[in-house]
Amino acid sequence: MNVVVTGIGLISSLGNLSQSWPRLLEGKTGITRQQPFSDLPVLPLGLIGHKPAFLDDLTKIALIAALEDAKLTPPLKDCGVTIGSSRSCQGLWEQMAATGIVENWLDSLPDRASVLTARLIETSAPVLAPMAACATAIWSIARGVELIKMGECDRVLAGAIETPITPLTLVGFEQMGALAKTGCYPFDRAREGLVLGEGGAILVLESEEEALSRNASIYGQILGYGFTCDADHVSAPAVDNHSAAKAVLLCLHRSKLRKDEIHYIHAHGTSTRLNDEREANLIASIFGSQVAVSSTKGATGHTLGASGALGMAFCLMALKNQLIPPCVGVNESPFQLNLTRSAINFSLQNCLCLSFGFGGQNAAIAVGKWQTDRCRLIHESTY
């Protein structure tokens, strides 16, 4: 059974989907230097507004946009939900701890984005909330695909939402030495660390039959995915890339794709010294130096668990528009990668999106231009 994407709801520091995509193609960034909290220094951040957002607000924005894009209207009683978050309501927890006021704490659990979505669409189908650090979004999308393939439902809302700009998150990454001082420069020689960003994306996944039955517009088809865990270190990735390579190769195998059939790779590209070097070596070892590569975190910031959802949304837009987005922030790279400095017209058929998370979480997912069997079915029915 083929699973296709019929709607995208996205929110990032660049704006919604109709704003983020053209600004990304122009090489613009939503990262600015701001002071999110009075007791913290001015930092480069991917804030959506003038102050840190709350999970509920961004979830509703992405959900409404996804449903409008897919031309769907609640209630959706039989629609599954797989929406994750690595930080969930941490900002709210910190606020409760600081004020001593605890209200509606059941609405601040890690599954909040998924449960809120389920309530808003009034579904009685499966509701899941995967958590796998920065690989959360790809896990969520994969679980959504599996629900459809297993016959649990014909439609799933899948993705991830993140509001990670909180005092504890900022101080934690600062203590690790992972935060950038001036900006985000993925795969650049002068990269200095990650920049936290808010945002996320919700994709409307449907069985091909369901999408065709209602004449839905189709962005692309989910082809396959692969997951592994290094089980090596609490935060640093394994340097031998053995486990990460296995996830990529498993994704290719499940997608029935050869290495040379991947035309664009949306890299995790956090702009940290260690991750970029490790990921560049991984990509080069499997695909060589010809495939186009970019990371969009130089434009949106690092949305942690939601980064793979943004990456998938941008891959789908790349397929739709036959345009490869640039690696915003890269100037001079020490790596043997085909990093796109500006948007490129290209005959895209298949894209690969990568995510890597703390604890050695490795995730790869392939999405392709929708190739329908409709012509074959029409031809067969003619005779």
PDB file of all heavy atoms in Angstrom, residues 215-252:
ATOM      1  N   ASN A 215      -9.890  13.047  -4.767  1.00  0.00           N
ATOM      2  CA  ASN A 215      -9.191  13.931  -5.714  1.00  0.00           C
ATOM      3  C   ASN A 215      -8.269  14.927  -5.003  1.00  0.00           C
ATOM      4  O   ASN A 215      -8.190  16.105  -5.369  1.00  0.00           O
ATOM      5  CB  ASN A 215     -10.199  14.689  -6.586  1.00  0.00           C
ATOM      6  CG  ASN A 215     -10.994  13.773  -7.480  1.00  0.00           C
ATOM      7  OD1 ASN A 215     -10.438  12.876  -8.107  1.00  0.00           O
ATOM      8  ND2 ASN A 215     -12.315  13.978  -7.536  1.00  0.00           N
ATOM      9  N   ALA A 216      -7.570  14.433  -3.992  1.00  0.00           N
ATOM     10  CA  ALA A 216      -6.657  15.290  -3.230  1.00  0.00           C
ATOM     11  C   ALA A 216      -5.387  15.580  -4.020  1.00  0.00           C
ATOM     12  O   ALA A 216      -4.920  14.747  -4.806  1.00  0.00           O
ATOM     13  CB  ALA A 216      -6.293  14.616  -1.911  1.00  0.00           C
ATOM     14  N   SER A 217      -4.841  16.754  -3.817  1.00  0.00           N
ATOM     15  CA  SER A 217      -3.527  17.074  -4.384  1.00  0.00           C
ATOM     16  C   SER A 217      -2.469  16.324  -3.588  1.00  0.00           C
ATOM     17  O   SER A 217      -2.564  16.225  -2.356  1.00  0.00           O
ATOM     18  CB  SER A 217      -3.261  18.578  -4.315  1.00  0.00           C
ATOM     19  OG  SER A 217      -4.208  19.288  -5.090  1.00  0.00           O
ATOM     20  N   ILE A 218      -1.452  15.809  -4.277  1.00  0.00           N
ATOM     21  CA  ILE A 218      -0.441  14.976  -3.630  1.00  0.00           C
ATOM     22  C   ILE A 218       0.943  15.615  -3.781  1.00  0.00           C
ATOM     23  O   ILE A 218       1.380  15.913  -4.897  1.00  0.00           O
ATOM     24  CB  ILE A 218      -0.448  13.552  -4.222  1.00  0.00           C
ATOM     25  CG1 ILE A 218      -1.783  12.858  -3.894  1.00  0.00           C
ATOM     26  CG2 ILE A 218       0.729  12.733  -3.692  1.00  0.00           C
ATOM     27  CD1 ILE A 218      -1.946  11.495  -4.526  1.00  0.00           C
ATOM     28  N   TYR A 219       1.607  15.811  -2.642  1.00  0.00           N
ATOM     29  CA  TYR A 219       2.960  16.376  -2.654  1.00  0.00           C
ATOM     30  C   TYR A 219       4.007  15.331  -3.037  1.00  0.00           C
ATOM     31  O   TYR A 219       4.966  15.626  -3.741  1.00  0.00           O
ATOM     32  CB  TYR A 219       3.313  16.922  -1.271  1.00  0.00           C
ATOM     33  CG  TYR A 219       2.705  18.253  -0.945  1.00  0.00           C
ATOM     34  CD1 TYR A 219       1.514  18.336  -0.231  1.00  0.00           C
ATOM     35  CD2 TYR A 219       3.326  19.433  -1.322  1.00  0.00           C
ATOM     36  CE1 TYR A 219       0.953  19.564   0.085  1.00  0.00           C
ATOM     37  CE2 TYR A 219       2.780  20.676  -1.014  1.00  0.00           C
ATOM     38  CZ  TYR A 219       1.586  20.729  -0.313  1.00  0.00           C
ATOM     39  OH  TYR A 219       1.032  21.947  -0.007  1.00  0.00           O
ATOM     40  N   GLY A 220       3.857  14.134  -2.503  1.00  0.00           N
ATOM     41  CA  GLY A 220       4.853  13.097  -2.719  1.00  0.00           C
ATOM     42  C   GLY A 220       4.460  11.826  -1.993  1.00  0.00           C
ATOM     43  O   GLY A 220       3.419  11.759  -1.329  1.00  0.00           O
ATOM     44  N   GLN A 221       5.302  10.830  -2.108  1.00  0.00           N
ATOM     45  CA  GLN A 221       5.033   9.506  -1.549  1.00  0.00           C
ATOM     46  C   GLN A 221       6.132   9.117  -0.572  1.00  0.00           C
ATOM     47  O   GLN A 221       7.319   9.293  -0.856  1.00  0.00           O
ATOM     48  CB  GLN A 221       4.963   8.494  -2.690  1.00  0.00           C
ATOM     49  CG  GLN A 221       4.723   7.065  -2.276  1.00  0.00           C
ATOM     50  CD  GLN A 221       4.626   6.139  -3.488  1.00  0.00           C
ATOM     51  OE1 GLN A 221       4.264   6.567  -4.586  1.00  0.00           O
ATOM     52  NE2 GLN A 221       4.946   4.877  -3.286  1.00  0.00           N
ATOM     53  N   ILE A 222       5.762   8.632   0.604  1.00  0.00           N
ATOM     54  CA  ILE A 222       6.740   8.138   1.569  1.00  0.00           C
ATOM     55  C   ILE A 222       7.227   6.774   1.070  1.00  0.00           C
ATOM     56  O   ILE A 222       6.435   5.848   0.907  1.00  0.00           O
ATOM     57  CB  ILE A 222       6.148   7.999   2.980  1.00  0.00           C
ATOM     58  CG1 ILE A 222       5.479   9.307   3.420  1.00  0.00           C
ATOM     59  CG2 ILE A 222       7.239   7.585   3.962  1.00  0.00           C
ATOM     60  CD1 ILE A 222       6.410  10.478   3.548  1.00  0.00           C
ATOM     61  N   LEU A 223       8.519   6.657   0.845  1.00  0.00           N
ATOM     62  CA  LEU A 223       9.055   5.441   0.240  1.00  0.00           C
ATOM     63  C   LEU A 223       9.595   4.438   1.257  1.00  0.00           C
ATOM     64  O   LEU A 223       9.483   3.228   1.061  1.00  0.00           O
ATOM     65  CB  LEU A 223      10.171   5.814  -0.748  1.00  0.00           C
ATOM     66  CG  LEU A 223       9.756   6.757  -1.887  1.00  0.00           C
ATOM     67  CD1 LEU A 223      10.971   7.108  -2.736  1.00  0.00           C
ATOM     68  CD2 LEU A 223       8.668   6.132  -2.744  1.00  0.00           C
ATOM     69  N   GLY A 224      10.200   4.914   2.319  1.00  0.00           N
ATOM     70  CA  GLY A 224      10.771   4.003   3.310  1.00  0.00           C
ATOM     71  C   GLY A 224      11.570   4.761   4.345  1.00  0.00           C
ATOM     72  O   GLY A 224      11.797   5.969   4.222  1.00  0.00           O
ATOM     73  N   TYR A 225      12.017   4.049   5.377  1.00  0.00           N
ATOM     74  CA  TYR A 225      12.743   4.690   6.467  1.00  0.00           C
ATOM     75  C   TYR A 225      13.623   3.654   7.159  1.00  0.00           C
ATOM     76  O   TYR A 225      13.445   2.439   7.002  1.00  0.00           O
ATOM     77  CB  TYR A 225      11.776   5.316   7.484  1.00  0.00           C
ATOM     78  CG  TYR A 225      10.469   4.565   7.601  1.00  0.00           C
ATOM     79  CD1 TYR A 225      10.364   3.395   8.352  1.00  0.00           C
ATOM     80  CD2 TYR A 225       9.343   4.998   6.907  1.00  0.00           C
ATOM     81  CE1 TYR A 225       9.171   2.696   8.435  1.00  0.00           C
ATOM     82  CE2 TYR A 225       8.143   4.298   6.976  1.00  0.00           C
ATOM     83  CZ  TYR A 225       8.067   3.142   7.736  1.00  0.00           C
ATOM     84  OH  TYR A 225       6.888   2.452   7.798  1.00  0.00           O
ATOM     85  N   GLY A 226      14.588   4.157   7.910  1.00  0.00           N
ATOM     86  CA  GLY A 226      15.479   3.277   8.653  1.00  0.00           C
ATOM     87  C   GLY A 226      15.868   3.922   9.970  1.00  0.00           C
ATOM     88  O   GLY A 226      16.089   5.146  10.028  1.00  0.00           O
ATOM     89  N   PHE A 227      15.946   3.116  11.028  1.00  0.00           N
ATOM     90  CA  PHE A 227      16.279   3.627  12.358  1.00  0.00           C
ATOM     91  C   PHE A 227      17.284   2.700  13.032  1.00  0.00           C
ATOM     92  O   PHE A 227      17.175   1.472  12.935  1.00  0.00           O
ATOM     93  CB  PHE A 227      15.031   3.715  13.240  1.00  0.00           C
ATOM     94  CG  PHE A 227      13.959   4.593  12.689  1.00  0.00           C
ATOM     95  CD1 PHE A 227      12.913   4.052  11.956  1.00  0.00           C
ATOM     96  CD2 PHE A 227      13.991   5.962  12.904  1.00  0.00           C
ATOM     97  CE1 PHE A 227      11.909   4.864  11.449  1.00  0.00           C
ATOM     98  CE2 PHE A 227      12.993   6.781  12.396  1.00  0.00           C
ATOM     99  CZ  PHE A 227      11.948   6.230  11.666  1.00  0.00           C
ATOM    100  N   THR A 228      18.232   3.293  13.729  1.00  0.00           N
ATOM    101  CA  THR A 228      19.152   2.536  14.581  1.00  0.00           C
ATOM    102  C   THR A 228      19.504   3.401  15.786  1.00  0.00           C
ATOM    103  O   THR A 228      19.169   4.592  15.832  1.00  0.00           O
ATOM    104  CB  THR A 228      20.465   2.162  13.855  1.00  0.00           C
ATOM    105  OG1 THR A 228      21.122   3.369  13.424  1.00  0.00           O
ATOM    106  CG2 THR A 228      20.216   1.247  12.667  1.00  0.00           C
ATOM    107  N   CYS A 229      20.202   2.798  16.742  1.00  0.00           N
ATOM    108  CA  CYS A 229      20.702   3.546  17.894  1.00  0.00           C
ATOM    109  C   CYS A 229      22.154   3.144  18.136  1.00  0.00           C
ATOM    110  O   CYS A 229      22.475   1.951  18.178  1.00  0.00           O
ATOM    111  CB  CYS A 229      19.861   3.267  19.131  1.00  0.00           C
ATOM    112  SG  CYS A 229      20.411   4.194  20.593  1.00  0.00           S
ATOM    113  N   ASP A 230      23.030   4.129  18.279  1.00  0.00           N
ATOM    114  CA  ASP A 230      24.452   3.851  18.516  1.00  0.00           C
ATOM    115  C   ASP A 230      24.669   3.096  19.817  1.00  0.00           C
ATOM    116  O   ASP A 230      25.562   2.250  19.910  1.00  0.00           O
ATOM    117  CB  ASP A 230      25.253   5.156  18.587  1.00  0.00           C
ATOM    118  CG  ASP A 230      25.274   5.912  17.268  1.00  0.00           C
ATOM    119  OD1 ASP A 230      24.930   5.304  16.230  1.00  0.00           O
ATOM    120  OD2 ASP A 230      25.624   7.102  17.282  1.00  0.00           O
ATOM    121  N   ALA A 231      23.862   3.442  20.848  1.00  0.00           N
ATOM    122  CA  ALA A 231      24.058   2.887  22.190  1.00  0.00           C
ATOM    123  C   ALA A 231      25.515   3.045  22.619  1.00  0.00           C
ATOM    124  O   ALA A 231      26.132   2.134  23.162  1.00  0.00           O
ATOM    125  CB  ALA A 231      23.655   1.415  22.224  1.00  0.00           C
ATOM    126  N   ASP A 232      26.043   4.252  22.380  1.00  0.00           N
ATOM    127  CA  ASP A 232      27.466   4.488  22.607  1.00  0.00           C
ATOM    128  C   ASP A 232      27.732   5.580  23.640  1.00  0.00           C
ATOM    129  O   ASP A 232      28.614   5.447  24.463  1.00  0.00           O
ATOM    130  CB  ASP A 232      28.121   4.870  21.274  1.00  0.00           C
ATOM    131  CG  ASP A 232      29.609   5.119  21.389  1.00  0.00           C
ATOM    132  OD1 ASP A 232      30.347   4.138  21.597  1.00  0.00           O
ATOM    133  OD2 ASP A 232      30.036   6.285  21.274  1.00  0.00           O
ATOM    134  N   HIS A 233      26.942   6.669  23.616  1.00  0.00           N
ATOM    135  CA  HIS A 233      27.214   7.812  24.486  1.00  0.00           C
ATOM    136  C   HIS A 233      25.908   8.557  24.734  1.00  0.00           C
ATOM    137  O   HIS A 233      25.002   8.535  23.903  1.00  0.00           O
ATOM    138  CB  HIS A 233      28.239   8.743  23.831  1.00  0.00           C
ATOM    139  CG  HIS A 233      28.753   9.823  24.725  1.00  0.00           C
ATOM    140  ND1 HIS A 233      28.118  11.039  24.870  1.00  0.00           N
ATOM    141  CD2 HIS A 233      29.843   9.878  25.535  1.00  0.00           C
ATOM    142  CE1 HIS A 233      28.803  11.797  25.723  1.00  0.00           C
ATOM    143  NE2 HIS A 233      29.838  11.118  26.137  1.00  0.00           N
ATOM    144  N   VAL A 234      25.805   9.216  25.872  1.00  0.00           N
ATOM    145  CA  VAL A 234      24.571   9.899  26.230  1.00  0.00           C
ATOM    146  C   VAL A 234      24.238  11.044  25.278  1.00  0.00           C
ATOM    147  O   VAL A 234      23.065  11.360  25.046  1.00  0.00           O
ATOM    148  CB  VAL A 234      24.640  10.418  27.680  1.00  0.00           C
ATOM    149  CG1 VAL A 234      25.680  11.529  27.812  1.00  0.00           C
ATOM    150  CG2 VAL A 234      23.266  10.902  28.146  1.00  0.00           C
ATOM    151  N   SER A 235      25.251  11.679  24.683  1.00  0.00           N
ATOM    152  CA  SER A 235      24.970  12.809  23.791  1.00  0.00           C
ATOM    153  C   SER A 235      25.783  12.781  22.498  1.00  0.00           C
ATOM    154  O   SER A 235      25.277  13.159  21.441  1.00  0.00           O
ATOM    155  CB  SER A 235      25.214  14.139  24.515  1.00  0.00           C
ATOM    156  OG  SER A 235      26.557  14.226  24.964  1.00  0.00           O
ATOM    157  N   ALA A 236      27.033  12.362  22.561  1.00  0.00           N
ATOM    158  CA  ALA A 236      27.888  12.384  21.374  1.00  0.00           C
ATOM    159  C   ALA A 236      27.591  11.196  20.456  1.00  0.00           C
ATOM    160  O   ALA A 236      27.329  10.091  20.921  1.00  0.00           O
ATOM    161  CB  ALA A 236      29.353  12.348  21.787  1.00  0.00           C
ATOM    162  N   PRO A 237      27.632  11.404  19.131  1.00  0.00           N
ATOM    163  CA  PRO A 237      27.419  10.298  18.199  1.00  0.00           C
ATOM    164  C   PRO A 237      28.643   9.407  18.131  1.00  0.00           C
ATOM    165  O   PRO A 237      29.765   9.831  18.405  1.00  0.00           O
ATOM    166  CB  PRO A 237      27.195  11.021  16.863  1.00  0.00           C
ATOM    167  CG  PRO A 237      27.985  12.291  16.995  1.00  0.00           C
ATOM    168  CD  PRO A 237      27.849  12.693  18.434  1.00  0.00           C
ATOM    169  N   ALA A 238      28.435   8.152  17.776  1.00  0.00           N
ATOM    170  CA  ALA A 238      29.560   7.234  17.592  1.00  0.00           C
ATOM    171  C   ALA A 238      30.368   7.678  16.379  1.00  0.00           C
ATOM    172  O   ALA A 238      29.813   7.961  15.316  1.00  0.00           O
ATOM    173  CB  ALA A 238      29.049   5.808  17.392  1.00  0.00           C
ATOM    174  N   VAL A 239      31.668   7.751  16.527  1.00  0.00           N
ATOM    175  CA  VAL A 239      32.498   8.306  15.463  1.00  0.00           C
ATOM    176  C   VAL A 239      32.700   7.342  14.298  1.00  0.00           C
ATOM    177  O   VAL A 239      33.059   7.761  13.196  1.00  0.00           O
ATOM    178  CB  VAL A 239      33.883   8.724  16.012  1.00  0.00           C
ATOM    179  CG1 VAL A 239      33.730   9.866  17.003  1.00  0.00           C
ATOM    180  CG2 VAL A 239      34.604   7.543  16.668  1.00  0.00           C
ATOM    181  N   ASP A 240      32.453   6.041  14.493  1.00  0.00           N
ATOM    182  CA  ASP A 240      32.692   5.093  13.408  1.00  0.00           C
ATOM    183  C   ASP A 240      31.562   5.063  12.374  1.00  0.00           C
ATOM    184  O   ASP A 240      31.714   4.476  11.296  1.00  0.00           O
ATOM    185  CB  ASP A 240      32.926   3.684  13.955  1.00  0.00           C
ATOM    186  CG  ASP A 240      31.733   3.122  14.725  1.00  0.00           C
ATOM    187  OD1 ASP A 240      30.634   3.730  14.675  1.00  0.00           O
ATOM    188  OD2 ASP A 240      31.886   2.063  15.368  1.00  0.00           O
ATOM    189  N   ASN A 241      30.432   5.703  12.686  1.00  0.00           N
ATOM    190  CA  ASN A 241      29.306   5.807  11.751  1.00  0.00           C
ATOM    191  C   ASN A 241      28.682   4.463  11.371  1.00  0.00           C
ATOM    192  O   ASN A 241      27.850   4.406  10.454  1.00  0.00           O
ATOM    193  CB  ASN A 241      29.711   6.544  10.469  1.00  0.00           C
ATOM    194  CG  ASN A 241      29.497   8.047  10.597  1.00  0.00           C
ATOM    195  OD1 ASN A 241      28.624   8.493  11.318  1.00  0.00           O
ATOM    196  ND2 ASN A 241      30.309   8.814   9.905  1.00  0.00           N
ATOM    197  N   HIS A 242      29.070   3.401  12.019  1.00  0.00           N
ATOM    198  CA  HIS A 242      28.549   2.086  11.645  1.00  0.00           C
ATOM    199  C   HIS A 242      27.026   2.023  11.808  1.00  0.00           C
ATOM    200  O   HIS A 242      26.310   1.590  10.899  1.00  0.00           O
ATOM    201  CB  HIS A 242      29.207   0.995  12.507  1.00  0.00           C
ATOM    202  CG  HIS A 242      28.640  -0.374  12.273  1.00  0.00           C
ATOM    203  ND1 HIS A 242      28.943  -1.114  11.143  1.00  0.00           N
ATOM    204  CD2 HIS A 242      27.773  -1.130  13.006  1.00  0.00           C
ATOM    205  CE1 HIS A 242      28.282  -2.274  11.193  1.00  0.00           C
ATOM    206  NE2 HIS A 242      27.571  -2.298  12.309  1.00  0.00           N
ATOM    207  N   SER A 243      26.531   2.454  12.944  1.00  0.00           N
ATOM    208  CA  SER A 243      25.099   2.396  13.218  1.00  0.00           C
ATOM    209  C   SER A 243      24.319   3.370  12.345  1.00  0.00           C
ATOM    210  O   SER A 243      23.248   3.042  11.832  1.00  0.00           O
ATOM    211  CB  SER A 243      24.834   2.683  14.700  1.00  0.00           C
ATOM    212  OG  SER A 243      23.468   2.607  14.999  1.00  0.00           O
ATOM    213  N   ALA A 244      24.859   4.578  12.164  1.00  0.00           N
ATOM    214  CA  ALA A 244      24.179   5.575  11.330  1.00  0.00           C
ATOM    215  C   ALA A 244      24.100   5.107   9.884  1.00  0.00           C
ATOM    216  O   ALA A 244      23.071   5.267   9.216  1.00  0.00           O
ATOM    217  CB  ALA A 244      24.919   6.905  11.418  1.00  0.00           C
ATOM    218  N   ALA A 245      25.184   4.525   9.380  1.00  0.00           N
ATOM    219  CA  ALA A 245      25.195   4.018   8.008  1.00  0.00           C
ATOM    220  C   ALA A 245      24.162   2.909   7.837  1.00  0.00           C
ATOM    221  O   ALA A 245      23.494   2.810   6.798  1.00  0.00           O
ATOM    222  CB  ALA A 245      26.582   3.510   7.644  1.00  0.00           C
ATOM    223  N   LYS A 246      24.014   2.088   8.861  1.00  0.00           N
ATOM    224  CA  LYS A 246      23.035   1.009   8.811  1.00  0.00           C
ATOM    225  C   LYS A 246      21.622   1.563   8.664  1.00  0.00           C
ATOM    226  O   LYS A 246      20.801   1.014   7.914  1.00  0.00           O
ATOM    227  CB  LYS A 246      23.140   0.148  10.072  1.00  0.00           C
ATOM    228  CG  LYS A 246      22.243  -1.080  10.064  1.00  0.00           C
ATOM    229  CD  LYS A 246      22.452  -1.919  11.318  1.00  0.00           C
ATOM    230  CE  LYS A 246      21.534  -3.143  11.325  1.00  0.00           C
ATOM    231  NZ  LYS A 246      21.735  -3.964  12.556  1.00  0.00           N
ATOM    232  N   ALA A 247      21.313   2.654   9.356  1.00  0.00           N
ATOM    233  CA  ALA A 247      19.994   3.263   9.257  1.00  0.00           C
ATOM    234  C   ALA A 247      19.737   3.779   7.844  1.00  0.00           C
ATOM    235  O   ALA A 247      18.642   3.597   7.292  1.00  0.00           O
ATOM    236  CB  ALA A 247      19.865   4.408  10.265  1.00  0.00           C
ATOM    237  N   VAL A 248      20.734   4.421   7.256  1.00  0.00           N
ATOM    238  CA  VAL A 248      20.585   4.947   5.893  1.00  0.00           C
ATOM    239  C   VAL A 248      20.402   3.815   4.890  1.00  0.00           C
ATOM    240  O   VAL A 248      19.526   3.859   4.014  1.00  0.00           O
ATOM    241  CB  VAL A 248      21.794   5.817   5.525  1.00  0.00           C
ATOM    242  CG1 VAL A 248      21.718   6.235   4.052  1.00  0.00           C
ATOM    243  CG2 VAL A 248      21.871   7.048   6.414  1.00  0.00           C
ATOM    244  N   LEU A 249      21.231   2.794   4.995  1.00  0.00           N
ATOM    245  CA  LEU A 249      21.152   1.670   4.061  1.00  0.00           C
ATOM    246  C   LEU A 249      19.847   0.908   4.225  1.00  0.00           C
ATOM    247  O   LEU A 249      19.268   0.410   3.243  1.00  0.00           O
ATOM    248  CB  LEU A 249      22.355   0.742   4.249  1.00  0.00           C
ATOM    249  CG  LEU A 249      23.714   1.368   3.924  1.00  0.00           C
ATOM    250  CD1 LEU A 249      24.844   0.404   4.260  1.00  0.00           C
ATOM    251  CD2 LEU A 249      23.776   1.767   2.446  1.00  0.00           C
ATOM    252  N   LEU A 250      19.354   0.802   5.450  1.00  0.00           N
ATOM    253  CA  LEU A 250      18.067   0.163   5.688  1.00  0.00           C
ATOM    254  C   LEU A 250      16.948   0.967   5.039  1.00  0.00           C
ATOM    255  O   LEU A 250      16.018   0.401   4.448  1.00  0.00           O
ATOM    256  CB  LEU A 250      17.820   0.038   7.194  1.00  0.00           C
ATOM    257  CG  LEU A 250      16.514  -0.634   7.637  1.00  0.00           C
ATOM    258  CD1 LEU A 250      16.428  -2.049   7.093  1.00  0.00           C
ATOM    259  CD2 LEU A 250      16.412  -0.640   9.155  1.00  0.00           C
ATOM    260  N   CYS A 251      17.044   2.287   5.118  1.00  0.00           N
ATOM    261  CA  CYS A 251      16.063   3.158   4.478  1.00  0.00           C
ATOM    262  C   CYS A 251      16.067   2.947   2.963  1.00  0.00           C
ATOM    263  O   CYS A 251      14.998   2.828   2.342  1.00  0.00           O
ATOM    264  CB  CYS A 251      16.362   4.615   4.810  1.00  0.00           C
ATOM    265  SG  CYS A 251      15.309   5.807   3.961  1.00  0.00           S
ATOM    266  N   LEU A 252      17.231   2.901   2.365  1.00  0.00           N
ATOM    267  CA  LEU A 252      17.335   2.685   0.919  1.00  0.00           C
ATOM    268  C   LEU A 252      16.751   1.327   0.532  1.00  0.00           C
ATOM    269  O   LEU A 252      16.035   1.205  -0.472  1.00  0.00           O
ATOM    270  CB  LEU A 252      18.791   2.778   0.470  1.00  0.00           C
ATOM    271  CG  LEU A 252      19.456   4.154   0.591  1.00  0.00           C
ATOM    272  CD1 LEU A 252      20.927   4.065   0.197  1.00  0.00           C
ATOM    273  CD2 LEU A 252      18.733   5.189  -0.261  1.00  0.00           C
TER     274      LEU A 252
END
